[in-house]
Amino acid sequence: MSDATAGATAAERADRRRTLLEEAVLPPLVALAIALVVGDLLILTFGQSPGAVFAMLLEGTWANAYGFGQVLYKATSLTFTGLAFAIGARAGLFNIGAESQLAAGGFAAAVAGLALGGAPAILAVPVCIAAAAVGGGAVGAVPGVLKARFGASEVIVTIMLNFVVLALLNYVIAAHLHVPETLHTPEIAAGVPRLADLSDAFRGSAANAILLLALAAAAAAWWYLFRTRPGFELRAVGLQPDAAEYGGVDVGRVWVRAMALSGAVAGLGGLNYVLGYKHYYEEGFAAGSGFLGVAVALVGRNHPLGIVIAALLFATLSQGGLAVNALVPKQMVEVLQAVVILAVVTSVPEVRRVLRAALRPAAKPAKAAA
Amino acid sequence: MIVVAFLAQVLRIVVPYLLAASGGVLSERAGIVALTLEGFMLTGAFTATLGSYYAGSPWVGLLAGIAGGVALALLLALATVRYKADQVVAGIALNLLAIGGTRFFLRYAFDSSSNSPRVPGFGGDGGGAVGAAATLAASAQNPLVWIGILTVPVVAWLLYRTPFGLRVRAAGEKPEAARSLGVPVARVRVLAVAGAGALAGLAGTYLALDQHQFTDGMTAGRGFIALAAVIFGRWDPKRVAFACVLFAAAETFQIQLQGAQLIPSQFVEMIPYVLTIVALAGVVGRSAAPAALGKAE
């Protein structure tokens, strides 16, 4: 995925095509094929016809406006959390904390919205967006600092912080901010339009204008990672931290920056619920979308475009589970999501090995000629 | 009397932590990240419930619980050792698989999305005793409690006093050097992970049989508390056991003070995680984790 250079030779281009095939295209396809087989088996254990179930899944998601709206809504959150994981991963860091970063972002947005009261939307919406980024970014920065300063594993720190941050937010809500008899804050005045406002067909679905923010975030992440100097440094640290350090990059600072940025993007994901859907912060609203972000980034091969596509795929599965629940338990899709992750993560090294082995006889004469 | 009640409750809570965390030590010392303890426990709890329900005997449940934990562990070993998949991502995937899989088959086996029917467990009624004495008596009759307590010295002995333990530690510190000396690193890692699956599966078995049923998501993050204990205890079986007791005591404290409202329960919940972060940042330092932890051979 290096920048396209004008003077690339044919051999380099062929090389790049092969890398793209073995890194980006084949593993997700292999994974989907495996998931399809596992899905068939699960459906058969319930004595149903796989064809009928998968047809029902598609019908309940892409074939009607409500289902499609729900897919878009879920894909919005997953795009943010997928991008968040990818930004960390590109710097060689595993941010497993998107779940709490997203919650912290949503919480900060709700608090900002409450503080602003009835301020006009032109002021309130940007402030809430900024608050979400700062809230998530602050939670994300902590493991970055601990890694840079003390060498603490960001995997463990982000996992542990998930529990700490969620417990802290639950305490603040329960002790100070909840509406009696509920686990959520009062409603805020700020909000963005929902798709249902535009067309009656989407009535009831939660999709909203934060969708556009997610697409903008994907575009911005692509620009940052592949077209700016800090983004280049970030990727350099991810590929070869020692070499980057030798080349004059402050690796610790890049780690902190990458984790803060990753957390900020995850924090923006909280807006989908708080600013776009319910207009309040509620305990547990993240509902696993932080963890699924790992899957989305993995299947999207840590590339913003791939992440948007993978977010749609995983959102379709999530929503599709509800659609087929009458025939097979909706938990089938949770199993399939796990199978997809497992299959991608195992097939990346395996596809590379198999492909290299297959290409070796063909590659040898070429080398001799050169 | 209040001290006895406190200790009885700590014992009841600490058993699954001891089992799962000892498994975590085994796995991490061999170089495989123990993120999946939670999944092993949940799977073990579910298969133990199935075994106990269909055979009508908690002993069959116990064996089934071990089998469930080992099955998921072998899947982790297949992905990370055989196919060299990234350990962190594979671990997360298997946790999701355990959550989704137990829910799916809960519907399949018992047509319920929340819990199984009542199943036979260990332990009697406490022989007519009441209160704390009854809790203690019931614990004493539960073989899993004894297994949990014995696991700590057994794992310590295995790790420090046997050739297998030496190989485990070599696989986790310097796999290349170990292999050049003829240690079958891959096989050692698979065995260590399977051991972790068996022990965490037993931890799940304890939870399910203690409640006499399986409920959706019943491990409720205990696998991660066990992981926290592994790190806070610096990967040493005895120190890890101490960390487990500490975390269990904090939890007991919270339960017993629930009425008093001295400290909000959410703050007590945080204790294991905060301590672990602090330990990672300062006390433990850079060198304490097994050197090859998380790395493919």
Side-chain angles (χ1 to χ4, degrees):
Chain A
M1 314 236 174
S2 61
D3 304 8
T5 43
T9 64
E12 277 176 68
R13 272 201 302 276
D15 222 35
R16 195 170 298 144
R17 255 202 310 280
R18 200 191 65 199
T19 313
L20 191 73
L21 191 70
E22 64 182 40
E23 302 282 342
V25 179
L26 278 182
L29 290 181
V30 170
L32 285 179
I34 294 173
L36 211 58
V37 172
V38 174
D40 286 351
L41 292 175
L42 291 179
I43 291 165
L44 288 172
T45 58
F46 262 77
Q48 298 288 347
S49 137
V53 170
F54 280 117
M56 198 172 183
L57 192 150
L58 282 179
E59 214 176 280
T61 50
W62 290 70
N64 71 77
Y66 167 76
F68 186 58
Q70 288 300 93
V71 169
L72 290 181
Y73 172 74
K74 290 179 175 175
T76 302
S77 298
L78 292 179
T79 300
F80 283 113
T81 55
L83 288 172
F85 185 81
I87 290 169
R90 287 278 179 182
L93 301 170
F94 283 114
N95 178 9
I96 319 294
E99 189 81 4
S100 61
Q101 289 150 10
L102 183 138
F107 178 80
V111 170
L114 288 173
L116 286 169
I122 190 97
L123 173 74
V125 169
V127 170
C128 285
I129 292 176
V134 170
V139 174
V142 173
V145 170
L146 292 181
K147 173 145 183 122
R149 286 287 302 275
F150 306 110
S153 153
E154 82 284 358
V155 174
I156 304 298
V157 174
T158 50
I159 289 173
M160 300 292 148
L161 264 187
N162 276 338
F163 293 101
V164 174
V165 169
L166 292 175
L168 202 62
L169 294 178
N170 290 349
Y171 165 73
V172 175
I173 296 296
H176 300 294
L177 271 177
H178 70 291
V179 174
E181 310 293 317
T182 71
L183 289 170
H184 62 73
T185 64
E187 266 191 45
I188 61 174
V192 297
R194 278 165 67 168
L195 230 51
D197 301 339
L198 301 177
S199 156
D200 251 4
F202 288 103
R203 187 192 306 251
S205 87
N208 60 76
I210 297 297
L211 171 70
L212 301 175
L213 189 67
L215 292 175
W222 177 82
W223 177 261
Y224 178 79
L225 285 172
F226 299 108
R227 287 289 178 273
T228 70
R229 190 183 164 80
F232 175 77
E233 285 181 357
L234 187 150
R235 287 186 295 129
V237 167
L239 290 172
Q240 289 280 345
D242 298 338
E245 181 101 66
Y246 187 71
V249 178
D250 184 341
V251 172
R253 183 181 294 181
V254 170
W255 280 342
V256 174
R257 200 199 293 147
M259 285 304 293
L261 208 57
S262 171
V265 173
L268 289 175
L271 295 168
N272 195 27
Y273 186 87
V274 172
L275 216 50
Y277 180 34
K278 291 286 194 186
H279 305 286
Y280 51 68
Y281 172 92
E282 181 164 27
E283 188 176 318
F285 84 90
S289 48
F291 295 113
L292 264 190
V294 179
V296 169
L298 191 74
V299 174
R301 308 311 299 137
N302 291 330
H303 190 282
L305 179 63
I307 286 167
V308 172
I309 297 169
L312 281 171
L313 171 74
F314 277 89
T316 303
L317 276 178
S318 292
Q319 184 61 26
L322 301 175
V324 301
N325 200 28
L327 294 183
V328 288
K330 61 176 186 289
Q331 289 81 8
M332 179 186 82
V333 303
E334 297 175 12
V335 176
L336 292 189
Q337 285 168 341
V339 169
V340 169
I341 309 178
L342 207 57
V344 172
V345 78
T346 47
S347 64
V348 168
E350 195 62 11
V351 163
R352 190 181 308 149
R353 196 182 62 76
V354 171
L355 219 58
R356 295 242 158 111
L359 286 176
R360 203 168 297 138
K364 257 184 190 152
K367 226 173 224 169
Chain B
M1 195 60 200
I2 194 151
V3 176
V4 178
F6 188 82
L7 290 178
Q9 187 70 8
V10 171
L11 180 64
R12 218 179 138 216
I13 291 173
V14 83
V15 170
Y17 292 158
L18 289 177
L19 286 163
S22 298
V25 170
L26 208 54
S27 162
E28 295 227 326
R29 286 304 282 263
I32 304 286
V33 182
L35 283 183
T36 327
L37 292 178
E38 178 80 6
F40 297 161
M41 282 176 75
L42 194 60
T43 308
F46 182 69
T47 52
T49 306
L50 286 183
S52 187
Y53 178 79
Y54 286 112
S57 151
W59 288 100
V60 177
L62 187 152
L63 293 176
I66 294 176
V70 170
L72 200 65
L74 288 179
L75 211 52
L76 178 68
L78 181 73
T80 59
V81 179
R82 165 70 180 82
Y83 288 107
K84 308 210 181 336
D86 183 85
Q87 293 184 14
V88 172
V89 176
I92 291 170
L94 283 174
N95 278 333
L96 292 174
L97 185 68
I99 296 170
T102 51
R103 282 184 183 157
F104 182 87
F105 287 106
L106 188 63
R107 282 273 302 265
Y108 182 75
F110 303 118
D111 197 24
S112 159
S113 54
S114 58
N115 59 275
S116 75
R118 193 180 161 81
V119 300
F122 291 112
D125 48 12
V130 287
T135 313
L136 264 186
S139 289
Q141 288 171 32
N142 187 341
L144 282 166
V145 172
W146 296 105
I147 295 173
I149 293 169
L150 282 175
T151 295
V152 177
V154 168
V155 169
W157 171 79
L158 195 69
L159 215 47
Y160 296 125
R161 294 270 185 272
T162 66
F164 175 71
L166 185 65
R167 291 174 158 197
V168 165
R169 286 180 288 135
E173 293 290 342
K174 285 234 174 355
E176 302 85 6
R179 199 174 23 248
S180 72
L181 291 174
V183 175
V185 172
R187 199 189 307 158
V188 167
R189 284 185 161 186
V190 170
L191 281 174
V193 172
L199 288 171
L202 275 175
T205 304
Y206 175 86
L207 292 175
L209 296 186
D210 191 51
Q211 308 268 321
H212 290 278
Q213 64 172 356
F214 177 85
T215 52
D216 179 26
M218 73 183 306
T219 47
R222 284 188 183 84
F224 289 105
I225 294 187
L227 175 65
V230 171
I231 296 159
F232 189 65
R234 295 192 238 169
W235 296 271
D236 172 73
K238 287 187 188 114
R239 282 210 201 94
V240 169
F242 173 75
C244 290
V245 174
L246 184 72
F247 294 168
E251 215 175 306
T252 308
F253 200 61
Q254 177 211 328
I255 294 168
Q256 306 231 323
L257 286 183
Q258 218 147 41
Q261 295 288 336
L262 286 177
I263 313 165
S265 65
Q266 291 93 345
F267 286 94
V268 183
E269 273 172 41
M270 286 178 211
I271 288 174
Y273 311 115
V274 172
L275 283 180
T276 304
I277 293 172
V278 170
L280 268 180
V283 187
V284 176
R286 280 161 204 264
S287 60
L293 182 60
K295 299 190 177 76
E297 309 163 44

